Amino acid sequence: MRKVLFAALSGVILTASASFAGNGQAVFQKNGCTACHQAAVDTVGPSLKKIAAAYAGKEDELIAFLKGKHKAIVDPAKFAMMKSQLMKTSKLSDADLKALADYILSHK
Ligand code: HEC
Protein backbone atom coordinates (compact mmCIF):
# COMPACT_ATOMS: atom_id res chain seq x y z
CA MET A 1 0.00 0.00 0.00
CA ARG A 2 2.90 2.34 0.66
CA LYS A 3 4.05 1.67 -2.88
CA VAL A 4 0.95 3.33 -4.25
CA LEU A 5 1.65 6.44 -2.24
CA PHE A 6 5.27 6.59 -3.35
CA ALA A 7 4.30 6.13 -6.96
CA ALA A 8 1.89 9.04 -6.68
CA LEU A 9 4.45 11.30 -5.03
CA SER A 10 7.24 10.53 -7.46
CA GLY A 11 4.97 11.69 -10.26
CA VAL A 12 4.96 15.18 -8.85
CA ILE A 13 7.82 16.70 -10.75
CA LEU A 14 7.24 20.31 -11.53
CA THR A 15 7.47 21.26 -15.14
CA ALA A 16 6.65 24.92 -14.63
CA SER A 17 9.92 26.75 -15.03
CA ALA A 18 10.15 28.42 -18.43
CA SER A 19 7.24 30.77 -17.85
CA PHE A 20 8.20 31.57 -14.28
CA ALA A 21 7.68 35.28 -13.54
CA GLY A 22 8.12 36.08 -17.21
CA ASN A 23 11.05 37.81 -18.81
CA GLY A 24 10.74 41.58 -18.90
CA GLN A 25 13.06 42.08 -21.82
CA ALA A 26 11.14 39.53 -23.89
CA VAL A 27 7.85 41.23 -23.03
CA PHE A 28 9.38 44.59 -23.99
CA GLN A 29 10.59 43.31 -27.36
CA LYS A 30 7.51 41.25 -28.14
CA ASN A 31 5.26 44.28 -27.69
CA GLY A 32 7.27 46.48 -30.02
CA CYS A 33 8.41 48.89 -27.31
CA THR A 34 11.91 48.94 -28.83
CA ALA A 35 10.53 50.88 -31.82
CA CYS A 36 10.43 54.01 -29.66
CA HIS A 37 12.54 53.25 -26.57
CA GLN A 38 16.27 52.59 -26.50
CA ALA A 39 18.27 51.79 -23.37
CA ALA A 40 20.33 54.97 -23.03
CA VAL A 41 19.43 57.45 -25.78
CA ASP A 42 16.18 59.31 -26.35
CA THR A 43 14.65 58.46 -29.71
CA VAL A 44 10.94 58.80 -30.43
CA GLY A 45 10.31 58.13 -26.76
CA PRO A 46 12.49 58.76 -23.71
CA SER A 47 15.34 56.33 -22.98
CA LEU A 48 14.75 53.52 -20.49
CA LYS A 49 17.42 55.14 -18.37
CA LYS A 50 15.40 58.34 -18.15
CA ILE A 51 12.21 56.43 -17.37
CA ALA A 52 14.01 54.37 -14.71
CA ALA A 53 15.30 57.56 -13.10
CA ALA A 54 11.83 59.13 -13.03
CA TYR A 55 10.30 55.99 -11.52
CA ALA A 56 13.11 55.06 -9.14
CA GLY A 57 11.51 53.56 -6.03
CA LYS A 58 8.07 53.90 -7.61
CA GLU A 59 7.51 50.57 -9.28
CA ASP A 60 3.85 50.55 -8.25
CA GLU A 61 3.30 53.83 -10.08
CA LEU A 62 5.10 52.55 -13.16
CA ILE A 63 2.85 49.50 -13.22
CA ALA A 64 -0.18 51.76 -12.70
CA PHE A 65 0.94 53.89 -15.68
CA LEU A 66 1.22 50.77 -17.85
CA LYS A 67 -2.30 49.84 -16.78
CA GLY A 68 -3.50 53.26 -17.89
CA LYS A 69 -4.19 54.34 -14.31
CA HIS A 70 -1.45 56.86 -13.68
CA LYS A 71 -0.57 60.09 -15.47
CA ALA A 72 2.64 60.43 -17.47
CA ILE A 73 5.51 61.99 -15.54
CA VAL A 74 8.47 61.63 -17.90
CA ASP A 75 7.42 63.63 -20.97
CA PRO A 76 3.72 64.43 -20.62
CA ALA A 77 3.75 66.67 -23.73
CA LYS A 78 4.34 63.59 -25.88
CA PHE A 79 1.93 61.33 -24.05
CA ALA A 80 -0.40 61.14 -27.07
CA MET A 81 2.19 58.95 -28.80
CA MET A 82 2.49 56.62 -25.84
CA LYS A 83 -1.21 56.48 -25.06
CA SER A 84 -2.12 53.91 -27.73
CA GLN A 85 0.55 51.58 -26.33
CA LEU A 86 -1.35 51.40 -23.07
CA MET A 87 -4.09 49.45 -24.82
CA LYS A 88 -1.50 46.69 -25.18
CA THR A 89 0.17 46.95 -21.79
CA SER A 90 -3.10 47.20 -19.86
CA LYS A 91 -3.96 43.73 -21.14
CA LEU A 92 -0.77 42.10 -19.90
CA SER A 93 -0.88 39.77 -16.91
CA ASP A 94 0.29 41.08 -13.54
CA ALA A 95 3.36 38.83 -13.77
CA ASP A 96 4.29 40.23 -17.18
CA LEU A 97 3.74 43.81 -15.99
CA LYS A 98 5.95 43.23 -12.98
CA ALA A 99 8.66 41.69 -15.18
CA LEU A 100 8.34 44.59 -17.63
CA ALA A 101 8.60 47.16 -14.84
CA ASP A 102 11.61 45.35 -13.34
CA TYR A 103 13.27 45.36 -16.75
CA ILE A 104 12.67 49.10 -17.28
CA LEU A 105 13.83 49.95 -13.75
CA SER A 106 17.03 47.94 -14.22
CA HIS A 107 18.30 50.71 -16.57
CA LYS A 108 19.94 52.95 -14.02
C1 HEC B 1 5.12 54.98 -31.01
C2 HEC B 1 6.24 55.13 -30.11
C3 HEC B 1 6.19 54.40 -28.78
C4 HEC B 1 6.06 53.06 -28.54
C5 HEC B 1 5.91 51.93 -29.56
C6 HEC B 1 6.15 52.88 -27.10
N1 HEC B 1 6.32 54.08 -26.48
FE1 HEC B 1 6.53 54.39 -24.48
N2 HEC B 1 6.63 56.40 -24.80
C7 HEC B 1 6.60 57.03 -26.05
C8 HEC B 1 6.70 58.48 -25.88
C9 HEC B 1 6.70 59.51 -26.99
C10 HEC B 1 6.78 58.68 -24.49
C11 HEC B 1 6.87 60.05 -23.77
C12 HEC B 1 5.48 60.46 -23.31
C13 HEC B 1 5.20 60.03 -21.89
O1 HEC B 1 6.01 60.31 -21.00
O2 HEC B 1 4.14 59.41 -21.67
C14 HEC B 1 6.73 57.37 -23.85
C15 HEC B 1 6.78 57.14 -22.47
C16 HEC B 1 6.82 55.91 -21.86
C17 HEC B 1 6.93 55.71 -20.44
C18 HEC B 1 7.04 56.81 -19.39
C19 HEC B 1 5.66 57.18 -18.88
C20 HEC B 1 5.60 58.46 -18.10
O3 HEC B 1 5.29 58.42 -16.90
O4 HEC B 1 5.80 59.55 -18.68
C21 HEC B 1 6.93 54.36 -20.22
C22 HEC B 1 7.01 53.64 -18.90
C23 HEC B 1 6.81 53.72 -21.51
N3 HEC B 1 6.76 54.70 -22.49
C24 HEC B 1 6.79 52.36 -21.71
C25 HEC B 1 6.56 51.77 -22.96
C26 HEC B 1 6.36 50.34 -23.14
C27 HEC B 1 6.40 49.30 -22.04
C28 HEC B 1 6.13 50.15 -24.47
C29 HEC B 1 5.80 48.86 -25.19
C30 HEC B 1 4.53 48.26 -24.83
C31 HEC B 1 6.20 51.45 -25.12
N4 HEC B 1 6.46 52.40 -24.16
C32 HEC B 1 6.05 51.66 -26.47
C33 HEC B 1 6.52 56.41 -27.27
C34 HEC B 1 6.35 55.04 -27.46
Side-chain angles (χ1 to χ4, degrees):
M1 254 158 295
R2 289 231 167 103
K3 268 189 221 154
V4 177
L5 186 63
F6 275 111
L9 285 175
S10 62
V12 185
I13 293 169
L14 295 179
T15 48
S17 59
S19 61
F20 188 74
N23 176 332
Q25 187 172 13
V27 176
F28 193 77
Q29 289 170 349
K30 204 170 67 190
N31 286 281
C33 314
T34 48
C36 299
H37 295 288
Q38 298 294 312
V41 286
D42 296 341
T43 51
V44 181
S47 67
L48 294 182
K49 207 170 166 181
K50 195 177 269 182
I51 297 174
Y55 281 98
K58 299 190 222 169
E59 181 167 38
D60 289 352
E61 287 171 35
L62 176 53
I63 290 174
F65 173 80
L66 295 171
K67 284 183 172 174
K69 292 178 182 160
H70 193 279
K71 61 178 181 7
I73 60 171
V74 179
D75 194 354
K78 289 190 189 164
F79 176 65
M81 262 191 278
M82 181 58 206
K83 197 174 176 202
S84 59
Q85 302 298 316
L86 300 181
M87 309 247 282
K88 268 192 272 181
T89 53
S90 62
K91 290 193 187 110
L92 293 173
S93 69
D94 285 349
D96 277 356
L97 280 173
K98 169 88 168 71
L100 187 55
D102 283 347
Y103 171 68
I104 292 172
L105 293 176
S106 73
H107 291 80
K108 282 180 198 144

PDB file of all heavy atoms in Angstrom, residues 9 13 24 62 66 82-83:
ATOM      1  N   LEU A   9       3.582  10.181  -5.363  1.00  0.00           N
ATOM      2  CA  LEU A   9       4.454  11.297  -5.035  1.00  0.00           C
ATOM      3  C   LEU A   9       5.568  11.501  -6.054  1.00  0.00           C
ATOM      4  O   LEU A   9       5.898  12.622  -6.412  1.00  0.00           O
ATOM      5  CB  LEU A   9       5.079  11.086  -3.653  1.00  0.00           C
ATOM      6  CG  LEU A   9       4.130  11.328  -2.481  1.00  0.00           C
ATOM      7  CD1 LEU A   9       4.836  10.961  -1.181  1.00  0.00           C
ATOM      8  CD2 LEU A   9       3.666  12.768  -2.461  1.00  0.00           C
ATOM      9  N   ILE A  13       6.607  15.992 -10.364  1.00  0.00           N
ATOM     10  CA  ILE A  13       7.824  16.697 -10.751  1.00  0.00           C
ATOM     11  C   ILE A  13       7.372  17.952 -11.487  1.00  0.00           C
ATOM     12  O   ILE A  13       6.685  17.882 -12.495  1.00  0.00           O
ATOM     13  CB  ILE A  13       8.718  15.816 -11.650  1.00  0.00           C
ATOM     14  CG1 ILE A  13       9.264  14.636 -10.827  1.00  0.00           C
ATOM     15  CG2 ILE A  13       9.862  16.646 -12.231  1.00  0.00           C
ATOM     16  CD1 ILE A  13       9.920  13.573 -11.652  1.00  0.00           C
ATOM     17  N   GLY A  24      11.087  40.212 -18.544  1.00  0.00           N
ATOM     18  CA  GLY A  24      10.743  41.584 -18.896  1.00  0.00           C
ATOM     19  C   GLY A  24      11.271  42.048 -20.240  1.00  0.00           C
ATOM     20  O   GLY A  24      10.580  42.731 -20.987  1.00  0.00           O
ATOM     21  N   LEU A  62       4.749  52.927 -11.782  1.00  0.00           N
ATOM     22  CA  LEU A  62       5.099  52.551 -13.156  1.00  0.00           C
ATOM     23  C   LEU A  62       4.099  51.508 -13.666  1.00  0.00           C
ATOM     24  O   LEU A  62       3.591  51.615 -14.788  1.00  0.00           O
ATOM     25  CB  LEU A  62       6.535  52.003 -13.199  1.00  0.00           C
ATOM     26  CG  LEU A  62       7.034  51.476 -14.542  1.00  0.00           C
ATOM     27  CD1 LEU A  62       6.858  52.498 -15.661  1.00  0.00           C
ATOM     28  CD2 LEU A  62       8.504  51.076 -14.448  1.00  0.00           C
ATOM     29  N   LEU A  66       1.357  51.764 -16.769  1.00  0.00           N
ATOM     30  CA  LEU A  66       1.221  50.773 -17.849  1.00  0.00           C
ATOM     31  C   LEU A  66      -0.184  50.182 -17.900  1.00  0.00           C
ATOM     32  O   LEU A  66      -0.609  49.643 -18.907  1.00  0.00           O
ATOM     33  CB  LEU A  66       2.282  49.671 -17.698  1.00  0.00           C
ATOM     34  CG  LEU A  66       3.726  50.163 -17.875  1.00  0.00           C
ATOM     35  CD1 LEU A  66       4.726  49.076 -17.506  1.00  0.00           C
ATOM     36  CD2 LEU A  66       3.982  50.647 -19.305  1.00  0.00           C
ATOM     37  N   MET A  82       2.358  57.797 -26.712  1.00  0.00           N
ATOM     38  CA  MET A  82       2.492  56.622 -25.836  1.00  0.00           C
ATOM     39  C   MET A  82       1.125  56.034 -25.497  1.00  0.00           C
ATOM     40  O   MET A  82       0.985  54.837 -25.243  1.00  0.00           O
ATOM     41  CB  MET A  82       3.231  57.049 -24.553  1.00  0.00           C
ATOM     42  CG  MET A  82       3.476  55.949 -23.546  1.00  0.00           C
ATOM     43  SD  MET A  82       4.414  54.587 -24.250  1.00  0.00           S
ATOM     44  CE  MET A  82       3.865  53.250 -23.182  1.00  0.00           C
ATOM     45  N   LYS A  83       0.115  56.883 -25.534  1.00  0.00           N
ATOM     46  CA  LYS A  83      -1.211  56.478 -25.065  1.00  0.00           C
ATOM     47  C   LYS A  83      -1.740  55.198 -25.716  1.00  0.00           C
ATOM     48  O   LYS A  83      -2.247  54.311 -25.035  1.00  0.00           O
ATOM     49  CB  LYS A  83      -2.187  57.623 -25.296  1.00  0.00           C
ATOM     50  CG  LYS A  83      -3.439  57.478 -24.493  1.00  0.00           C
ATOM     51  CD  LYS A  83      -4.337  58.685 -24.626  1.00  0.00           C
ATOM     52  CE  LYS A  83      -5.623  58.434 -23.866  1.00  0.00           C
ATOM     53  NZ  LYS A  83      -6.711  59.255 -24.316  1.00  0.00           N
TER      54      LYS A  83
END
